[in-house]
Amino acid sequence: MTLVTSGRVSEVDRHWLERAVSLAWEARERGDHPFGALLVTGGGSVLEARNSVVTGTDPTGHAETNLVRVAGKLDRSILSGSALYTSTEPCAMCAGAIYWSGIGRVVFALSEEGLAGMVEQEEGVPPLRLPSREVFAHGGRSIVVDGPVGLISATTVHEGFWG
């Protein structure tokens, strides 16, 4: 498997990442963990999701897995040409879901390591510290991964939440 990092994050990418952070704020404001994600297809369609772990009483209700559930209705050829933008690097569970969905590119703002510096526990459980690139590297298909992308807003959405 070849893991590809394009090294090119455009202003359009930054726009979508800021939208993902806005979705994270929406999740936080309704009582969920502050994570948001969206998918942009090659044709310009946009699907959005927020974390719903608390309000949905579902420990798998991460923004990325919620997004993959919705995006799974799309044709695989559309998913392979799509980009998933997320406020924070996908966890191991989400990276697995992204891998199996066939999505071709992942762009994230805050890194797993950056989040780890702010979060000791989630609902009493220490986070699983495994970068998404490491998960993807064990698969049999290429996924373009770009991140972390330094957005102050991606850190700010977590401040004061996890204490």
Side-chain angles (χ1 to χ4, degrees):
M1 203 295 276
T2 305
L3 187 61
V4 179
T5 301
S6 76
R8 294 182 304 252
V9 176
S10 69
E11 286 306 310
V12 171
D13 292 330
R14 288 179 179 278
H15 162 80
W16 290 122
L17 286 172
E18 288 290 1
R19 177 62 189 146
V21 172
S22 293
L23 294 169
W25 274 110
E26 290 175 17
R28 180 179 174 157
E29 289 167 0
R30 72 178 189 198
D32 283 302
H33 300 165
F35 301 97
L38 57 98
L39 184 81
V40 179
T41 69
S45 295
V46 179
L47 303 173
E48 297 182 337
R50 293 152 201 83
N51 184 288
S52 62
V53 167
V54 176
T55 59
T57 60
D58 177 2
T60 68
H62 293 196
E64 298 89 345
T65 54
N66 289 339
L67 184 61
V68 166
R69 287 181 188 109
V70 173
K73 296 176 177 100
L74 299 175
D75 187 85
R76 218 74 180 159
S77 63
I78 292 171
L79 291 171
S80 68
S82 297
L84 186 149
Y85 294 90
T86 184
S87 59
T88 306
E89 182 173 2
C91 71
M93 175 186 69
C94 293
I98 292 163
Y99 174 82
W100 288 111
S101 74
I103 292 168
R105 181 178 183 224
V106 175
V107 186
F108 63 89
L110 181 64
S111 69
E112 175 271 334
E113 185 178 355
L115 180 64
M118 292 184 274
V119 181
E120 282 188 40
Q121 296 184 14
E122 294 179 33
E123 308 300 320
V125 178
L128 180 59
R129 304 208 191 286
L130 183 61
S132 60
R133 282 182 175 89
E134 196 168 324
V135 175
F136 296 142
H138 291 278
R141 69 177 187 88
S142 295
I143 300 173
V144 176
V145 180
D146 288 309
V149 176
L151 297 180
I152 293 170
S153 59
T155 301
T156 304
V157 72
H158 292 279
E159 289 177 352
F161 182 83
W162 300 103

